[in-house]
């Protein structure tokens, strides 16, 4: 889903379009899934183009990006 | 999902097919998700080819485009 | 999801495989979503490879193609 | 989702991997959607890499392939 | 969703990453769909990168891979 | 969904972005599906860019990555 045209209309820096996930690395987040089930809460430990590794109180959980609806930072 | 043929049948300008999300930047929107859950309401703060950052009354929420069904502007 | 082999088995014209969405531009349609929620009804005002802009009685709604199950023309 | 390795293990003909949708053109089919809602029943009038046009008793319906779970021929 | 890095970490043979669907050809399988509806049961008659053709007791059914959650062999 | 820009902001090693699934090979995991149905529990026997083969107590199950929400290791 690469949309070159959209990028053109954004104020371009040398880094290209803004990247939101790298800024959340190490932060505690709530991840809501497209399935509408129980959200995943924990710290973002790592990520690649397809998956995000979350450190939860019950251990690490690998979350597929295609299954994520929203991510928000939490201080709780 | 790049569909070159469709683009041909659209009145082409130098910018290519119309881009709708850049026009909504800074605007307050209601985002309905494919999961059918609670819509996300807030101002579009940024976006890239995969995600849209929404500033809500509870703070920023990162919304994955693949999880979005519809976006509409709101004045409420 | 580009399927070159399928195209070969279709009677090829110079325009390639048939394009259905351009023919619906300006027409009033009912869009059923994969989420199974309330259909979106209105006129197709524009589209690009990822989204369709619908003019409804309540204003414009941007619909992501990945969230659409079916589109049918309506005279209602 | 192009999987070159799979193609290697299939008995290759000059046409590449088997194409199933072209063989259903003009046939009456029942299309079950991933949303689990009401199936779409009618004759396949046309298709492209993303969509299938179905002629139903209520008129044409454009069905997005990404929303289809199964297609089966029907004689009813 | 091609992930070159993953392939590197797998014991590489000349055939590349393991292919699971070709090994199921001709076998009787139960296919569970992402929609959570009724599973499709039958023998895998053919496949291409996007679809699998299943021979069921009620006739052939074309199943889109994007709608499949799991496939398991059955002896029932 | 290849996101080159994200990779740039990660501490790059010669292996590129971190790969999580190879590290789980042979481990017992619980796989939650996007459909929200019954999780799949078993050992990861193999994988390719699209599918993961799980050895369960009832035999092998092929799970499509697009249907997976989360994977977590289990000791149970």
């Amino acid at each position: 889903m690469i949309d070159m045209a959209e990028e053109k209309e954004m104020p371009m820096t040398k880094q290209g379009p803004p990247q939101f996930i790298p800024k959340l690395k190490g932060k505690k987040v709530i991840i809501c899934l497209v399935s509408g089930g129980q959200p995943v809460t924990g710290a973002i430990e790592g990520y690649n183009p397809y998956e995000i590794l979350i450190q939860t109180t019950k251990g690490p959980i690998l979350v597929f990006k295609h299954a994520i609806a929203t991510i928000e930072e939490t201080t709780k």
Side-chain angles (χ1 to χ4, degrees), chain A:
Chain A
M1 215 162 84
I2 294 165
D3 197 332
M4 301 301 284
E6 275 192 23
E7 293 173 21
K8 266 191 294 188
E9 294 189 51
M10 290 188 289
M12 289 299 277
T13 64
K14 283 168 196 153
Q15 290 80 35
Q19 296 303 318
F20 305 113
I21 295 172
K23 286 171 193 152
L24 291 171
K25 200 177 170 185
K27 304 274 176 67
K28 195 177 172 191
V29 295
I30 301 177
I31 294 178
C32 291
L33 302 173
V34 291
S35 58
Q38 189 70 18
V40 177
T41 303
I44 294 183
E45 201 170 294
Y47 56 85
N48 65 30
Y50 308 116
E51 306 134 14
I52 297 178
L53 185 66
I54 303 295
Q55 194 56 250
T56 74
T57 55
K58 295 176 185 174
I61 295 187
L62 190 61
V63 184
F64 278 79
K65 285 187 184 175
H66 60 235
I68 301 177
T70 62
I71 304 180
E72 55 188 304
E73 216 181 314
T74 175
T75 53
K76 276 177 271 187

